[in-house]
Amino acid sequence: MPNPYAEAGVDTAAGDLAVELMKSAVAATHNSHVLGGVGGFAGLYDVSFLKDFSHPLLATSTDGVGTKVAMAQAIDKHDTIGQDLVGMVVDDIVVVGAKPLFMTDYIACGRVVPNRIADIVAGIARGCSATGTALVGGETAEHPGLLGPDDYDVAGAATGVVEAGSQLGAHLVQDGDVVLAIESSGLHSNGYSLVRHILASRGVGYTDQLAEFGGVSVGEALLEPTRLYTTPLLELLEQHPGAVHSLSHVTGGGIAANLARVLPVGSWIEVDRSTWQPLPVFRVLADMAGTPIEDTEGTWNLGIGMFAVVSASAAVDVIESLGVAGMPAWPVGTIATSARDLSGFEQGAKGVDGGAVRLVGSYAA
């Protein structure tokens, strides 16, 4: 008997197969707080442990991966994009000092290809496991006619918890605090519309191989997954209580704008470019575009995935602890609250009346 839904382009059997292929990866993220397993209408998470908190605050974040998915689709490589999603969502939660609890994902596609969906979700599950986050649910939606057969987009949301009074933020930042940069793994998941524009303008395809990208295809080099900061940062907060005052995840908006969001009004910092050398991928892309690398500071992270604003007395110990955890970090400047002309500074961002930040000097050669 004909299936009218299948004739309209929606294959529910393929969707069921995709769920079967991803079940073991999802289940591996579950802990004793997760109830019910995979496939329910809603994920259940036992939060009775919150009774041990004096005043628990729930933290939540949602995001996607943006046009980075276009590169995954172009070279048919889908096993890393899920880690990017976890990085964009869960690492925003640790910024306030919260421990992530659980996450859900959403994949919209033009056609369900079971192995492709399973690869995406397996990447999400690996990222969740690495950050101590349970993947408690998700949805795969087939949108024929709206998306092309090989097109998809991914998004997710997560929830975490922090004790009231223990949350990080601009309210803790003081004059003389040191700002530490923590190294990124590459572009992470921001500025890919600019990347794609640069490649298109130079006639470079995602499957092309360029010596500048180390012998792998352009697409593979640019799919380098987002570094996950949550677990090392939570360990840092436990090892050095009170040392970290605020954190900033360098995502959309670039370096200065994201740092300004976690500084108090009236504070300012000049970030010294000479303290680091942007990762090669950024220089290659800027050279392709024929633009000074400084012009991309409001788009790309240029090698800094996270900032930590710490007390001056703890800066050396924090750098050492992050290094042991595989997170290279270095000081880029000091917070000041003295009166000065703030012309040329980025002041706050994304609706936040924050501090003032500008980059000064030249990048290390």
Side-chain angles (χ1 to χ4, degrees):
M1 183 175 179
N3 183 334
Y5 208 15
E7 291 175 354
V10 177
D11 188 343
T12 56
D16 290 341
L17 177 56
V19 171
E20 287 300 315
L21 292 174
M22 71 176 72
K23 279 177 68 174
S24 62
V26 173
T29 73
H30 291 180
N31 52 37
S32 60
H33 299 294
V34 179
L35 307 178
V38 178
F41 282 93
L44 293 173
Y45 193 90
D46 182 355
V47 294
S48 58
F49 68 91
L50 293 182
K51 291 183 291 185
D52 297 333
F53 284 66
S54 297
H55 186 173
L57 301 178
L58 293 180
T60 186
S61 174
T62 186
D63 207 340
V65 177
T67 60
K68 190 173 185 176
V69 297
M71 294 189 180
Q73 293 160 17
I75 67 170
D76 197 25
K77 178 177 171 57
H78 314 281
D79 58 345
T80 61
I81 209 77
Q83 178 169 321
D84 292 300
L85 180 63
V86 175
M88 291 300 99
V89 175
V90 174
D91 280 345
D92 276 2
I93 284 178
V94 77
V95 162
V96 298
K99 174 181 172 55
L101 301 177
F102 57 83
M103 178 173 174
T104 57
D105 65 70
Y106 177 78
I107 304 170
C109 59
R111 172 176 58 114
V112 170
V113 179
N115 287 322
R116 180 190 301 159
I117 300 298
D119 279 349
I120 297 169
V121 175
I124 298 172
R126 284 192 299 273
C128 283
S129 293
T131 57
T133 309
L135 184 58
V136 298
E139 173 71 8
T140 301
E142 204 167 20
H143 293 165
L146 181 63
L147 296 171
D150 294 319
D151 294 338
Y152 64 81
D153 197 12
V154 295
T159 298
V161 64
V162 62
E163 182 74 73
S166 296
Q167 69 267 33
L168 306 179
H171 63 287
L172 298 177
V173 175
Q174 303 173 16
D175 184 83
D177 279 355
V178 174
V179 176
L180 304 179
I182 308 175
E183 188 180 69
S184 73
S185 59
L187 285 150
H188 286 183
S189 295
N190 297 102
Y192 274 81
S193 293
L194 175 58
V195 173
R196 292 166 56 239
H197 174 74
I198 291 170
L199 296 179
S201 67
R202 292 294 300 270
V204 176
Y206 301 142
T207 58
D208 292 350
Q209 291 195 345
L210 301 179
E212 296 90 338
F213 287 113
V216 300
S217 72
V218 171
E220 287 177 290
L222 295 176
L223 281 176
E224 177 68 31
T226 301
R227 173 168 276 171
L228 300 176
Y229 298 92
T230 291
T231 298
L233 287 175
L234 289 175
E235 292 174 351
L236 177 70
L237 297 178
E238 185 175 345
Q239 293 166 1
H240 302 281
V244 180
H245 294 162
S246 70
L247 295 168
S248 172
H249 194 191
V250 184
T251 55
I255 295 171
N258 281 294
L259 179 55
R261 294 166 68 187
V262 301
L263 303 180
V265 173
S267 68
W268 56 271
I269 181 174
E270 292 183 321
V271 173
D272 184 358
R273 295 187 183 102
S274 71
T275 60
W276 85 98
Q277 184 177 17
L279 297 174
V281 64
F282 299 107
R283 291 197 181 276
V284 170
L285 290 167
D287 288 346
M288 281 186 179
T291 187
I293 197 166
E294 291 82 2
D295 288 354
T296 70
E297 292 167 346
T299 303
W300 296 330
N301 67 61
L302 297 185
I304 299 174
M306 189 81 72
F307 284 110
V309 184
V310 306
S311 63
S313 61
V316 172
D317 289 339
V318 169
I319 291 172
E320 182 179 356
S321 294
L322 288 170
V324 169
M327 297 280 175
W330 63 95
V332 297
T334 302
I335 300 296
T337 57
S338 56
R340 66 158 299 162
D341 179 10
L342 295 176
S343 300
F345 282 71
E346 186 89 31
Q347 299 187 60
K350 297 192 176 181
V352 176
D353 294 327
V357 179
R358 74 172 177 182
L359 280 72
V360 297
S362 301
Y363 288 110

